Amino acid sequence: MDAAVLNALREVALFRDLDDGERMELAYAMQPRFYARNQVIFSRGVIGDGLYIILEGQVGISREGPDGGEIMLTMEQSGEYFGELSLFDDEPRSATATALTPARLLFLSRATFQAFLGAHPGAVMACLQMVVRMLRRCTDLVDELALLDVRSRLTRRLLFLADQGHSETVQITQHHLASMVGATRESINKHLNSLVDDGVIRLDRGSVQILDRDRLAEYVLDPV
C-alpha cells in the first residue's frame, strides 16, 4: 500500500476520525486517475458517482455565470478533495471540475463508500459534520459575491488561497483569479497593480506573492 494514499485519506474530513484499519480498507478501494492540463474531470449536470482526492496538481471547480462566463468557485490543491456530495446521492454534479495543471488523483466510488458505511456506522457522524462545513463555505461564497466590492473579494480570495496552500505565494493566473472573484480580468489586473504600488504584493508570471499579510487584510471590507 502506497503511504501517500493513506496520508491523503487522513486529510479528508470524512475519514479523519477513522482508525488505521478502516482507512486501510478504503485505501485499497481507491482508484488512481490521471488528467492532463485543462482536461475536464467531470461536468456540471452529469450524474455524480464518487469523491476525488488530489495527490498532485491543481483542480478548478467552476460554474457558468448569469452572463454565460465561467465563475471559478474554488481552486483545490494537492491534499484536498472534491465531489464528496455524490457519495450520498445520485444527483447531477452542481459544478464542473477541470485540471488546471497535470493532476494525479484518487477516486472513491459511491457504491464502495456506501458499502463501507454499512459496515462502519460510526463514520456517519463525521460525514454529517463535513456536510455542515460545506454549507458554511457555500454561504461565505454567496456573501462574497453579493455583499463585497471587487477589491475586497480579491484580497479576501488571495488570503484564502494563501492559507489553503500554506504559502505566501499563490500559484494562480489572473484569468483564474478573475473567474474566482467574479470580475473581469481587466478589473483584477487594475486592483492587483494597485496592491503592487502599495507594496502589499508582488506579481510574478502565474503567481501572486503576499509581502504584507496584515496590510492586505486591511483591504477586506466587512459585508454591508
Side-chain angles (χ1 to χ4, degrees):
M1 171 57 59
D2 188 344
V5 176
L6 283 174
N7 289 336
L9 287 173
R10 290 190 184 97
E11 296 302 315
V12 177
L14 283 173
F15 313 136
R16 199 166 293 152
D17 294 332
L18 302 181
D19 61 38
D20 288 340
E22 291 170 332
R23 271 194 293 267
M24 182 73 73
E25 184 178 336
L26 283 175
Y28 278 112
M30 304 296 292
Q31 304 170 25
R33 296 195 175 178
F34 303 89
Y35 295 88
R37 181 176 179 269
N38 293 328
Q39 183 176 355
V40 173
I41 299 167
F42 57 72
S43 298
R44 182 187 181 195
V46 302
I47 300 300
D49 57 352
L51 161 81
Y52 292 83
I53 304 174
I54 306 172
L55 291 180
E56 295 177 3
Q58 293 179 329
V59 173
I61 309 299
S62 63
R63 292 188 64 169
E64 185 178 297
D67 60 354
E70 179 191 45
I71 296 177
M72 185 80 72
L73 302 177
T74 186
M75 186 175 68
E76 307 293 358
Q77 315 263 2
S78 298
E80 295 172 333
Y81 57 96
F82 58 95
E84 58 269 43
L85 288 183
S86 67
L87 291 175
F88 303 100
D89 61 31
D90 57 355
E91 293 298 309
R93 298 283 191 186
S94 60
T96 295
T98 306
L100 303 180
T101 66
R104 184 163 67 99
L105 311 181
L106 294 171
F107 174 74
L108 178 66
S109 73
R110 178 174 59 252
T112 298
F113 179 69
Q114 292 187 348
F116 172 82
L117 284 184
H120 305 278
V124 173
M125 182 55 68
C127 296
L128 291 175
Q129 292 171 345
M130 180 278 298
V131 172
V132 170
R133 280 194 290 271
M134 284 194 62
L135 290 174
R136 291 186 186 279
R137 187 168 71 174
C138 290
T139 300
D140 288 343
L141 181 61
V142 170
D143 285 345
E144 277 190 20
L145 292 175
L147 303 175
L148 297 178
D149 60 18
V150 172
R151 189 178 72 168
S152 294
R153 298 202 305 270
L154 170 62
T155 52
R156 184 172 176 174
R157 184 58 52 177
L158 287 173
L159 290 168
F160 171 80
L161 291 171
D163 290 339
Q164 188 181 41
H166 307 290
S167 171
E168 297 300 273
T169 299
V170 178
Q171 301 292 334
I172 190 170
T173 66
Q174 290 189 26
H175 169 76
H176 287 138
L177 193 54
S179 181
M180 293 185 77
V181 171
T184 65
R185 187 183 180 282
E186 291 75 16
S187 177
I188 291 299
N189 181 263
K190 180 186 73 173
H191 286 292
L192 286 173
N193 281 304
S194 175
L195 293 173
V196 169
D197 292 340
D198 290 346
V200 178
I201 66 170
R202 181 168 61 222
L203 295 178
D204 293 311
R205 184 176 178 83
S207 69
V208 179
Q209 183 179 1
I210 298 174
L211 302 178
D212 192 329
R213 169 178 282 267
D214 292 336
R215 285 184 61 201
L216 183 63
E218 292 174 2
Y219 288 86
V220 182
L221 301 177
D222 291 329
V224 294

